[in-house]
Amino acid sequence: MTQIRAEHVTFYYGGSHQEIFRDMSFTIDTDWKLGLVGRNGRGKTTLLKLLMGLEEYEGRIVSPEGFLYFPFRTETVPGEMTYETAERIFPEHEHWMLCRELGLLDMDPEVLYRPFETLSQGERTRVLLALLFLKEDHFLLIDEPTNHLDEAGRACVSRYLGRKKGFILVSHDRSFLDGCIDHVMAINRQGIQVVQGNFSSWWEDKRRQDLWELEENERLKKEIGRLSEAARRAERWSEKTEKTKTGTRIGGLKPDRGAIGHKAAKMMKRAKSTERRMENAVKEKSALLKNVETAQQLKLFSLKHDKEVLVRFRDVSLAYGEREVCRNVSFTLTGEDRLALAGGNGCGKSTVLKAILLEAERRGGCCVGRPRSAPENGEAEQRAQLRVTGGVIELAPALKISVVPQDSSFLRGSLDNYIEETGADPTLFKMLLRKLDFSREHFEKPMEEYSEGQRKKVLLAGSLAARAHLYLWDEPLNYIDVFSRVQLEELLAGTRLPLLYVEHDKIFVEKTASLVYPLDFQYNDKKVNVQVR
């Protein structure tokens, strides 16, 4: 068993005086299955870069093994078969070993004889992961592998990683982490914590520790107030008693100055003792709450539509040009429903959301909370090709829709300009971002410098700030930290939000959806298995 050690590492990005890590030290074993967790912007990806030596830092990192990062960039060569791509990336691999790894990932080795460019993002993820684990004498750094995987794909990759060892895994999917890690490294507000166990055990321990610190903080606050008043009272008594040494005669007798002085000194000693107890309580209190994560309650500013039914699909079939995506889709969404679209990659979930937007625009509805200048990122061509090839889509009239798209790469420039283009109230927008753990310093940064999770939070804040009748969210949790996921779960649990969404986080769907509609395409008879629960 060998170890990786970080010793007193300090790092901040050039041009910025804000430290990402200060005097960071930790020790991990190279056969651990380590989950790296923390709020967005805390430096998870930066830590991986430091381990690989891609950034300069103060301190020392010692490792007996080399590091490999995932996802790694892969040039797509038109017409190149997947096995040829694998040979180009890792010429030394054994073909039979790659087939074995693909089998562990529930993939038919036949995929190697398909053009790599035709593979879905989820298929590419699994092929490249299989290839990565064939490289020996390396410690793997796996950064957010779930973002292109549906629920079944996530479960499969989680089982696969659970059979392996020797990696750091960055993910915010709780059930995914629980299935494959045996240690947790948490980047806290101050410092790094490494503990044994899975995500759930760490989360429960943190919840209990945070609760204890909050209760202890309140107790000490009251104790400090009580001791402060007691010290002031003892000082007043001491001063009052001391003054009687020079008072008038009592019954013709002089005051006993020695006794009075002794009594005053005793009271002053008691006051000093109380002050020391108070100082100790203040010191004890100051050590608390340093790593307590505040997750304030989010609010929603939706509109209520006059119509009870907002969306109804009656046996709807959708296609892009001549390529059919889904068939015979039927569901009803009222103003009190939170409906999750479920199913594997490519079954038409995002297409259903696009079809609703197109139909709303055709009928005089509008998309609110989205900048007028937001680029389509290739969606314009898709929208032009999207056709309803069967059935009927019914929408409430003049429907105002708020959207969280999958892609956040178009976010550039200043946050203030973006907020102005959305038409949202700047105070409300920034209040929501603050509750999602944005610092005030981030308001001044260009959005290009935001982490992927912070970009997604900008889109979520824009949607929550928009006054809409219906909310359409397409994989809103990609890159979003666990604390913010819990905030959103509590928001949705406490409100009747008309929401239609696509999300592969199993726990989030279980806690938020009032209805689940599976869009499972059965290729053998070209039908869709339709059930609503």
Side-chain angles (χ1 to χ4, degrees), residues 216 219-231 233-234 267-286:
E216 187 70 2
R219 184 189 70 78
L220 289 171
K221 188 189 297 183
K222 293 177 182 177
E223 180 74 1
I224 290 168
R226 185 185 67 79
L227 291 173
S228 178
E229 178 57 31
R233 189 164 57 245
M267 289 182 176
M268 182 58 70
K269 184 178 180 181
R270 183 184 301 173
K272 294 297 183 183
S273 175
T274 302
E275 286 179 357
R276 283 194 297 271
R277 287 169 58 196
M278 183 176 67
E279 288 171 0
N280 289 336
V282 169
K283 185 177 180 180
E284 187 177 348
K285 182 176 181 294
S286 67

Side-chain angles (χ1 to χ4, degrees), residues 250-444:
I250 302 175
L253 300 175
K254 291 184 177 180
D256 187 341
R257 294 185 177 181
I260 292 172
H262 176 72
K263 184 177 180 180
K266 189 175 181 180
M267 289 182 176
M268 182 58 70
K269 184 178 180 181
R270 183 184 301 173
K272 294 297 183 183
S273 175
T274 302
E275 286 179 357
R276 283 194 297 271
R277 287 169 58 196
M278 183 176 67
E279 288 171 0
N280 289 336
V282 169
K283 185 177 180 180
E284 187 177 348
K285 182 176 181 294
S286 67
L288 299 174
L289 307 183
K290 290 183 177 179
N291 285 319
V292 172
E293 298 290 353
T294 56
Q296 301 179 51
Q297 186 176 18
L298 296 172
K299 292 184 179 180
L300 187 71
F301 303 88
S302 60
L303 296 172
K304 187 168 181 63
H305 203 282
D306 294 336
K307 299 293 185 181
E308 179 184 1
V309 175
L310 301 181
V311 179
R312 178 176 282 126
F313 272 47
R314 297 182 186 271
D315 295 322
V316 174
S317 298
L318 300 170
Y320 289 111
E322 299 302 318
R323 181 173 65 89
E324 187 175 69
V325 179
C326 54
R327 182 188 292 182
N328 300 334
V329 179
S330 297
F331 64 82
T332 299
L333 179 75
T334 73
E336 296 184 355
D337 290 330
R338 297 185 301 275
L339 195 155
L341 297 177
N345 291 340
C347 71
K349 301 182 298 296
S350 296
T351 303
V352 168
L353 302 187
K354 290 184 176 74
I356 292 172
L357 278 174
L358 283 173
E359 187 65 18
E361 292 173 2
R362 190 178 71 82
R363 298 186 178 204
C366 62
C367 182
V368 295
R370 182 182 174 97
R372 294 177 295 276
S373 61
E376 295 288 346
N377 295 320
E379 289 186 8
E381 184 178 349
Q382 278 194 341
R383 286 160 62 94
Q385 294 181 352
L386 181 57
R387 298 185 302 123
V388 178
T389 58
V392 177
I393 299 176
E394 299 176 2
L395 299 181
L399 200 61
K400 292 185 177 180
I401 301 176
S402 176
V403 178
V404 174
Q406 278 191 36
D407 185 26
S408 62
S409 62
F410 67 89
L411 294 176
R412 299 182 179 278
S414 77
L415 179 65
D416 286 333
N417 287 344
Y418 176 81
I419 295 173
E420 183 179 357
E421 288 189 19
T422 66
D425 180 289
T427 302
L428 173 60
F429 201 114
K430 290 183 178 180
M431 178 197 73
L432 289 166
L433 286 177
R434 289 283 290 159
K435 289 186 175 184
L436 288 167
D437 197 47
F438 259 63
S439 66
R440 297 188 187 279
E441 289 78 9
H442 278 99
F443 294 159
E444 307 303 322

Side-chain angles (χ1 to χ4, degrees), residues 300 302 333-339 464 468-471 473 491-492 495-500:
L300 187 71
S302 60
L333 179 75
T334 73
E336 296 184 355
D337 290 330
R338 297 185 301 275
L339 195 155
L464 293 173
H469 301 119
L470 173 64
Y471 294 78
W473 291 357
L491 166 69
L492 297 178
T495 184
R496 293 178 175 178
L497 172 71
L499 173 66
L500 181 61

